[in-house]
């Protein structure tokens, strides 16, 4: 599968879409599911946001020792989840404990390419 072929197929799929089509149904689902969520989480240590986003951030490398990694893998296996899902759940627990509430809007952007041939 050529990636260009995939993009043409996807463009055609979405271009033909109507409100009742695939894209319209997905947009309606997520609009309803995410309605009422705060735009930003308020955390006790957060700094004021600038009026215009600078998109500057930081990179904070860290390591997890082998024993902790093994335990995280065990948790994932016991919960029929991936290591990524366990890590994401840990972030949600941390944010909640820091005062962000109980319903934490946490997502991960993906490219929508579920076929490994176009990954």
């Amino acid at each position: 599968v050529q990636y260009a072929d995939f993009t043409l197929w996807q463009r055609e799929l979405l271009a033909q879409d109507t409100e009742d089509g695939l894209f319209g149904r997905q947009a309606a689902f997520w609009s309803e599911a995410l309605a009422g969520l705060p735009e930003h989480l308020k955390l006790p240590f957060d700094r004021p946001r600038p009026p215009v986003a600078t998109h500057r951030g930081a990179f904070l490398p860290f390591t997890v020792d082998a024993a902790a990694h093994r335990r995280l893998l065990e948790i994932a296996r016991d919960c029929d989840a991936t290591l990524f899902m366990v890590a994401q759940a840990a972030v949600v627990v941390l944010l909640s404990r820091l005062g962000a509430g109980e319903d934490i809007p946490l997502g991960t952007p993906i490219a929508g390419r579920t076929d490994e041939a176009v990954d």
Side-chain angles (χ1 to χ4, degrees):
V1 175
Q2 296 283 330
Y3 182 70
D5 294 333
F6 172 79
T7 59
L8 290 173
W9 168 80
Q10 192 172 40
R11 179 180 293 160
E12 183 180 321
L13 176 71
L14 296 177
Q16 295 175 356
D17 217 2
T18 64
E19 193 173 297
D20 295 330
L22 175 64
F23 184 76
R25 289 192 317 268
Q26 288 182 352
F29 170 82
W30 286 111
S31 293
E32 183 180 329
L34 300 175
L37 288 176
E39 188 171 330
H40 302 286
L41 295 178
K42 295 188 184 334
L43 298 171
F45 54 82
D46 210 1
R47 298 185 179 133
R49 296 180 187 274
V52 177
T54 63
H55 302 289
R56 281 185 277 151
F59 181 74
L60 179 64
F62 67 95
T63 57
V64 175
D65 66 48
H69 182 257
R70 257 191 316 277
R71 182 62 186 123
L72 291 169
L73 285 174
E74 288 173 14
I75 293 169
R77 199 170 20 257
D78 291 347
C79 296
D80 196 25
T82 65
L83 183 57
F84 178 79
M85 293 167 70
V86 172
Q88 199 167 21
V91 169
V92 169
V93 169
L94 175 64
L95 290 172
S96 181
R97 295 251 172 108
L98 292 173
E102 293 182 11
D103 189 9
I104 309 294
L106 182 65
T108 305
I110 62 166
R113 297 186 295 261
T114 55
D115 186 332
E116 286 186 23
V118 294
D119 197 11

